[in-house]
Amino acid sequence: MYLMMLGIAAVFAVMGYFDRNADKRLFCIELFLMGAMLCLRYGQGTDYFGYEANYSLVPKNIDMHFLFHNGIHGEVGYTFIAEIFRSLGAPFPIFVAVLSLAMMLMTYHGIKRYHGIKTIAVLLLYPTYYLTFYYGIRQGFALAFTLYFILPAYVKEKKLKYVFLVCFCATMHKSVLILLLPLFVDKIVKKCERLILFGAIAAGVMLGLFLRTTGFTWSYVYFSPSYSAIALRVILFIAIVRLYRCSGKKDEISNRIFRFYFIGFCIYLALCPAGFVAHRVTAYMKFSEIILFSRLLANRNEMMHVGRTMRTLKRYVCLLVIMICMVEGVKNINSYIGQGEYYSGIHFYNYPYVSVFNKKDIYKYRENEFLQVFPDVFQY
């Protein structure tokens, strides 16, 4: 089903590119399908069973001591929401469904706000953000919150509101605090983009040499570059820059979003030798990629060289985006099979979708390391 949904998103992106009226309708259809899959899933996604086990340990009342002094994985905001749901007697699948619905609603309104090609934005969203982060609950919520609340505050240069929203969102996932950095370097980026870009590359090379030669390991920081992920990011960055530079009259919204994206790309280059950290902390700024790409591809009339050459460039870029998303989708599904301890015989083309209506079927496909420790929580 996941591979089929990827194919649907790719077909819709092509149709939406050529027909703006169809783009609006197809955008609603695919987000509805993706939202239903996200809300009704069971046992799939980053640490699903771990989250369910931790949820069972949350008291069935609002306990302030537990809120600030517990050993359960999750920041204060997330724990408080879990306490509310536990006090209402909601089972974990209901908790997940409500948070997932909130993510998809923020995503819907966030993409709709910027008037780009919406189906292109959804295609870019699907392979990594949707399949990885949205299925991870906490960071997925933080990313959707960034799209709907934090990015508009940045675009409108409402700095106090921006800082407040970032700090508030950090109660769900503290990695979002990386978004405080763009406030300090935004003006510098305007003046010396190339210097910052080359500096980020140099920093990444030095970090890589240090981690590899010393064997340094601390928490998630160790030498773990993903060369395929780096290559895909660089290709998309070149395509975005090419489209952005060829734009004629640039509106301030696109300018601000481009700087937001550019800062995230440079941070990624500096941290990419520690692949896990780079991927996680720069996801918030890379999230602007889906908005920027969809806006640049939608801009058909305000080009410096309106004609066959520019139209051809945009179509090639659109095709490139579709190909990259298909590759990323397959690559990520394969990685989920390994991370989720799925049994042999499960591949990207038969990666199963399990819903709350047949949740016992999940044990036909994968292990649950918490099954013996929490026998009352999980069904076998």
Side-chain angles (χ1 to χ4, degrees):
M1 183 176 287
Y2 292 104
L3 198 62
M4 181 178 69
M5 191 65 235
L6 176 61
I8 290 172
V11 171
F12 281 11
V14 174
M15 295 171 66
Y17 177 81
F18 289 104
D19 187 341
R20 298 300 172 81
N21 291 325
D23 180 62
K24 297 176 183 178
R25 295 190 296 271
L26 297 174
F27 168 66
C28 294
I29 293 171
E30 60 188 348
L31 274 195
F32 174 80
L33 294 174
M34 290 164 58
M37 289 174 63
L38 191 65
C39 292
L40 299 176
R41 76 190 189 278
Y42 181 78
Q44 295 176 294
T46 306
D47 301 327
Y48 185 98
F49 291 131
Y51 274 111
E52 187 170 10
N54 288 340
Y55 183 76
S56 70
L57 300 176
V58 175
K60 296 182 179 181
N61 62 296
I62 307 299
D63 187 329
M64 299 306 293
H65 178 77
F66 179 86
L67 186 63
F68 294 99
H69 304 90
N70 70 84
I72 293 180
H73 183 59
E75 281 74 4
V76 172
Y78 173 80
T79 304
F80 182 67
I81 295 173
E83 285 190 345
I84 292 174
F85 276 81
R86 285 285 285 171
S87 68
L88 295 173
F92 184 69
I94 296 296
F95 173 68
V96 170
V98 173
L99 287 184
S100 299
L101 180 61
M103 290 180 209
M104 296 309 294
L105 288 173
M106 287 189 287
T107 301
Y108 170 80
H109 291 290
I111 292 175
K112 187 178 178 181
R113 170 185 286 142
Y114 292 100
H115 307 292
I117 302 177
K118 300 171 185 62
T119 49
I120 290 285
V122 173
L123 177 61
L124 284 162
L125 173 85
Y126 186 82
T128 300
Y129 299 107
Y130 176 78
L131 288 180
T132 302
F133 295 113
Y134 280 25
Y135 274 67
I137 302 176
R138 288 190 306 124
Q139 193 165 11
F141 188 92
L143 278 162
F145 189 91
T146 298
L147 176 63
Y148 185 58
F149 290 104
I150 297 176
L151 183 59
Y154 179 85
V155 169
K156 296 176 182 177
E157 299 188 72
K158 296 183 178 180
K159 296 182 180 180
L160 289 177
K161 181 180 179 181
Y162 179 85
V163 172
F164 170 78
L165 290 171
V166 169
C167 294
F168 177 78
C169 188
T171 65
M172 286 294 290
H173 204 285
K174 57 181 174 290
S175 62
V176 78
L177 291 173
I178 191 70
L179 289 181
L180 294 176
L181 186 59
L183 285 180
F184 299 99
V185 299
D186 181 76
K187 292 184 179 180
I188 301 174
V189 170
K190 288 183 181 180
K191 300 178 181 179
C192 37
E193 284 183 3
R194 291 187 180 182
L195 180 62
I196 293 174
L197 182 61
F198 290 132
I201 294 172
V205 171
M206 289 188 290
L207 178 62
L209 290 173
F210 170 76
L211 293 177
R212 187 167 187 176
T213 56
T214 63
F216 178 86
T217 299
W218 177 68
S219 186
Y220 297 115
V221 181
Y222 53 91
F223 187 75
S224 56
S226 172
Y227 298 108
S228 60
I230 295 171
L232 288 175
R233 280 214 181 185
V234 170
I235 292 170
L236 280 174
F237 175 76
I238 292 172
I240 285 180
V241 171
R242 176 63 175 160
L243 282 176
Y244 178 74
R245 297 300 183 211
C246 290
S247 296
K249 181 182 178 182
K250 299 183 182 70
D251 61 280
E252 188 56 29
I253 292 177
S254 293
N255 289 339
R256 294 283 295 174
I257 295 175
F258 177 77
R259 289 199 294 274
F260 194 75
Y261 167 72
F262 181 84
I263 293 166
F265 180 74
C266 289
I267 295 173
Y268 177 81
L269 290 180
L271 297 178
C272 63
F276 183 86
V277 175
H279 179 61
R280 289 282 174 163
V281 302
T282 62
Y284 301 99
M285 285 161 281
K286 187 178 184 290
F287 208 51
S288 59
E289 175 183 88
I290 68 174
I291 301 299
L292 188 58
F293 238 132
S294 66
R295 283 179 63 85
L296 292 174
L297 288 174
N299 183 10
R300 292 182 172 177
N301 299 319
E302 298 178 353
M303 309 301 293
M304 292 170 57
H305 307 288
V306 178
R308 183 180 300 175
T309 302
M310 185 50 61
R311 289 195 297 271
T312 301
L313 170 65
K314 293 178 69 178
R315 289 176 183 178
Y316 276 130
V317 168
C318 187
L319 179 62
L320 174 68
V321 168
I322 292 171
M323 291 176 62
I324 287 177
C325 288
M326 296 296 288
V327 171
E328 270 194 312
V330 171
K331 180 177 73 70
N332 290 344
I333 290 173
N334 268 326
S335 69
Y336 306 148
I337 293 170
Q339 294 169 11
E341 299 180 329
Y342 281 77
Y343 302 131
S344 60
I346 303 298
H347 305 283
F348 73 90
Y349 51 82
N350 64 348
Y351 181 59
Y353 174 78
V354 178
S355 75
V356 294
F357 302 113
N358 63 329
K359 60 183 182 180
K360 289 185 179 181
D361 288 352
I362 192 66
Y363 299 110
K364 297 178 182 179
Y365 309 114
R366 62 165 294 185
E367 297 279 356
N368 178 1
E369 64 271 32
F370 297 93
L371 185 61
Q372 302 302 323
V373 183
F374 296 88
D376 297 332
V377 175
F378 301 103
Q379 299 180 28
Y380 184 75

